[in-house]
Structures are given as C-alpha cells and as structure tokens.
Amino acid sequence: IACFKLEYKISIGNELNMEKLRIVGGNKLSGSISCSGAKNAALPMLAATILTDQKITFKNLPYLQDITTMFEILGSMGAEITLNEGMDFIISTSKLHDFEARYELVKTMRASILVLGSLVARYGFARIALPGGCAIGTRPVDFHLDALAKLGAKIELKNGYIEATAKKLIGCDINFPGVSVTGTENIMMAAVLAKGQTILRNVAKEPEVEDLANFLNSMGAKIKGAGSDEIIIDGVDNLNGTKFSIPADRIEAGTYLVAAAITGGNVTISNVQAPRMNNILDKLKLSGATINIGKDNIQLSMKKGSILPVDISTAPFPGFPTDMQAQFTVLNALSKGSSVVTENVFENRFMHVQELNRMGCDITVKGSNAFVKGVGSLNGAPVMATDLRASASLILAGLCANGETIVDRIYHIDRGYERIEEKLSYLGADITR
C-alpha cells in the first residue's frame, strides 16, 4: 500500500482536498489514448479476494483513490498486497485477523459494503460501518442485508455499524425488490461458499456483474446467468487463486469520447469493448458524431459547433448509464437546440447543473428532468465538484469554455479517473493540476 501511494501520489489527507485543476479552453482534442481498467469491476473483485486463502494476481488494475481505499480496508484486516515489476498487484488474504471495515475508511466510498458478503461467507462474521460516498441520492443497503438474512445470517445494526454473523450460509431463492448492482454483487459473493444452490432474481445486468461472475468462476465458483435478470449459484467448499485482467472502463471511455465531441476533435480510445457501450455510442451518433469501431478501439470525430440535441433517460443496463448523464448534459448544453435529460436512477444527481449554469449553460431542473437549451459558447469560471461524475462534467465544460476554468474539490475525480489531466493533455488539452 505504501508503494502504491508513493508511486501514484494518491492520499486521503487534507493535501488532496486542496488540489485543483486549471483548464484553458478552446483546444480541439486529437490523438489516441488507452482506456484504463474499470473501477466498478475492480472493487467487487478486490472484495472477493477475501473468499480464498490463495493468492490473486490482478492485471490492468486502475490507479484510483477508490482502489487505494479498498486496499486500506483489506490491509487493515491483515491482507498482504504487493506490486510486482510488471505492475501487477498480488493480494493474499490468508492471514486476515480483523473482520471490521472501519468508518474512517468506509465513509469515503459506498463500495466498501462489498466486503460484507465475502467476510460472512468465509469467516462467519463481519462488522462494517454504514457506507458513505458521493452525495448523489439515497442508496440503501437494505437489499444487501435482507438477502444476506435469507441466506441465514443474523444482522444487527449497532452504533452506525452492520454486524453480521452466520455459522454457515444456506442457499435459497432471493427475489430482489429492486435492481441493485452492489446488492447483486455482494450476495453473489456470499452465495458462492453457501451450502446448496442460490437463485438470485431481478438482479442487475451491468457488465461489471458479469465480470465479477467470470472472476469468481476463474477461482472455481459455479455461477450461471450473470448478465441476465436471474443468476444461479451452486455453492462450493472453497475457492482457488487466479490471475485476472480488469476489463476496460466503459464510463471512462465514454467521457473521453464526449470530450472529443464537444471540442470538435478526432480521438481514438483503445483497449475498449464497444458492445458494452452501445447505448452511449448510439446517443453520440444522434448528436452528430462520426464513430468508427475497430476490434478493440473506438474512433470519434465531429466538426466543431455541429452538436445536435439528444434526449437522455437513464436506466439500469442495458439502458443509458446514470454515470454518463452529467457528461451528456454538457454535450446538450453546447448543442443547436433543446433537449431533456431525465435521471431515473438517483434522485439527487443534478448538482452539477448549478455550476454549469455559472459557466453560461441554460439548464433548468424540475424534479427528475433537466431542460437544456443549447448555447453557442461557455465562459471559464471557478467551479466546485460535488461528486465523481459531476467533476467530469465540469472538466468537459472547461475544455470548450472561453478563458480559464478552475475546478475545485477534485478529490472526487481521483476516485474514478486515472490520471485524467495527463490523458487530456496528451490529446492536446491545456490542463494542469
């Protein structure tokens, strides 16, 4: 962990909170960059390392604040984490001695809840602080706890902590009352070591859920149906070690494609899986972008000032991802016309709108809808990030704004984008930390 922090200069202290991004807009982006590994795929896999006493090797693990936080949680429990010369991370949880995820770590990242299922499945006990993270709306953990109780765990809430105990989890049928990505992942991890068969219904179908299933199966789990709305898990006695490469981050790739579109650029993103991005690519085409898809790359080009408005309505996969809503709000704000952006996943995910309007956008929020009127240009301004994807939208706005934009509270962006200023600079942006 110390090596990881030193090498990539990622920390949790006050120094990080003081950092800002300075952007001078107007440069057209062009060139090629490689997509990093997906944070939303990596985090549950890191939590799943608890399920085995053998070593796990990860390739293409992204260098992000959230990854560091998960490393610290695992490290505080006794996990051994090393980085080899090939930049692969090797994790061993064979000597865990503490089964608690403390509040000072969990409060910064809701995905910390993902260690709950693994700990109870393997050790029969877990004490996890109720999670924090981005303030984008209510994301209750009831689905996790109710499902874990059906598997046979005893759940108690004490002083802001979840305590779960079980002698042995027993497979059963679980019908989630609503679609939850982390709920699906948590219970999938719990069920792989449960006795008998578990059937999960009304589950999340996100690619990252399928990635977790592939990872667990590579360890010896027996999971079928991931990617559909029903997952069948036959419990096994133990899991093995494995080597696994983290798939590409479809949200990062989508963000850079939008950056190319709003600047009238020509950018190629390599190391991507285009079929997972069909909902994003279809909207970009409707906005006027020309897109060419290769074997493992996507190339986008667009003439400056030719953006067409596109209505957006977020939904669980295979619908349009909520994590791309803020970026497309900026795209629509620069279009020739009006559009409606509807947020159906989180009820508090338009906090970037106020900051975008300070830069010259014309956006009105009414309930779950943002009514966007296209404007000819934006002006640079000091702005403040409120969450991870809001940070991305402010950076995008700064790329095409007249003059200088200062983005404050960028610790949010470091949670989900690997070296964003370096990648944008490589494409020709004038951006410094």
Side-chain angles (χ1 to χ4, degrees), residues 104-181:
E104 55 264 32
L105 295 174
V106 172
K107 69 180 180 179
T108 65
M109 184 182 72
R110 294 193 63 86
S112 308
I113 190 72
L114 287 167
V115 300
L116 176 64
S118 294
L119 285 171
V120 177
R122 184 174 171 204
Y123 293 102
F125 177 77
R127 187 171 188 266
I128 314 296
L130 286 166
C134 286
I136 59 175
T138 304
R139 290 179 283 181
V141 297
D142 296 3
F143 293 175
H144 307 242
L145 304 185
D146 292 346
L148 201 56
K150 290 178 181 178
L151 289 171
K154 179 183 178 182
I155 308 293
E156 294 184 280
L157 299 180
K158 294 181 178 180
N159 303 318
Y161 278 78
I162 302 164
E163 289 190 6
T165 56
K167 290 184 178 180
K168 180 67 176 178
L169 297 178
I170 307 297
C172 63
D173 281 20
I174 296 172
N175 189 4
F176 286 99
V179 176
S180 168
V181 175

Side-chain angles (χ1 to χ4, degrees), residues 35-57:
C35 188
S36 301
K39 178 197 79 154
N40 290 338
L43 290 175
M45 292 182 199
L46 289 173
T49 61
I50 294 171
L51 293 166
T52 180
D53 61 0
Q54 298 184 25
K55 291 181 179 179
I56 304 291
T57 300

Side-chain angles (χ1 to χ4, degrees), residues 179 181 185 203-211 226-227 250 315-318:
V179 176
V181 175
E185 293 167 339
V203 296
K205 295 182 281 189
E206 267 68 9
E208 293 77 22
V209 172
E210 192 172 355
D211 293 335
R250 60 195 173 100
F317 191 86

Side-chain angles (χ1 to χ4, degrees), residues 64 96 158 162 171 186 233 268 290 298 309 327 365 370 395 412:
L64 303 169
L96 291 197
K158 294 181 178 180
I162 302 164
N186 220 344
I233 306 165
T268 299
T290 298
I298 301 171
Q327 298 90 314
V365 175
I395 292 171
H412 288 295

Side-chain angles (χ1 to χ4, degrees), residues 316-332:
F317 191 86
F320 189 87
T322 179
D323 281 351
M324 285 299 301
Q325 176 259 108
Q327 298 90 314
F328 268 79
T329 299
V330 176
L331 186 71
N332 279 326

